[in-house]
Amino acid sequence: MAGEAQISFTGNATADVDLKYTPAGLAVANVTVAVTGREKKGDTWVDGAAAFYRVAVWRDAAENLANSITKGDRVTVVGRLKPREFEQNGVKRISLEVDADSVALDVRFKVAHFAEGTQRSGPPASPAGRLDAENQRRGARTAPPAADPWATPAASAETPW
């Protein structure tokens, strides 16, 4: 929408994802992400002040997030800043929350497992096992694995150059 501040940042989940459902049955997941800047001072890197962003994810993405992210995971968030007004000790305050369009696991620090359109509990099996499970879900027959042409070395041949 026009006028909304777009934001993207990378940080660490401070706790496991909190998944809830609205009275209408819509899934909403909330997670707080800590972002700490670093700067170089002389020959060393120094951590700056931490900023904490409360992130909300809706619908199917909320359920997927709850099944994918845990405390400490490094994530990249893309979304829109939303002001939220509240009262604390009689004083009106405003906090900025992020309505996320996308949350991605940073694969530099953790292996991501892809399962299209399915929810999973626990880590997935091998890639072949994930494919078999997806084919079974769709009712498709599983073909025997084809020979892997990359698994065997090529016949020795002298190069013409």
Side-chain angles (χ1 to χ4, degrees), residues 132 135-136 138-144:
D132 288 345
N135 285 337
Q136 287 174 359
R138 293 182 180 165
R141 293 181 179 220
T142 304

Side-chain angles (χ1 to χ4, degrees), residues 68-137:
S68 302
I69 305 297
T70 57
K71 179 181 179 178
D73 286 348
R74 187 127 174 112
V75 295
T76 298
V77 177
V78 176
R80 296 167 312 281
L81 285 175
K82 298 280 187 170
R84 183 178 66 87
E85 294 182 13
F86 64 98
E87 191 171 314
Q88 184 179 35
N89 299 328
V91 178
K92 285 189 177 186
R93 298 183 182 267
I94 296 176
S95 70
L96 292 175
E97 296 181 354
V98 179
D99 191 4
D101 296 320
S102 167
V103 179
L105 183 66
D106 189 334
V107 295
R108 289 182 298 165
F109 302 99
K110 185 176 180 181
V111 175
H113 299 282
F114 177 75
E116 182 178 353
T118 61
Q119 301 298 314
R120 64 177 174 84
S121 58
S126 67
R130 287 195 307 272
L131 183 58
D132 288 345
E134 182 64 17
N135 285 337
Q136 287 174 359
R137 186 183 71 76

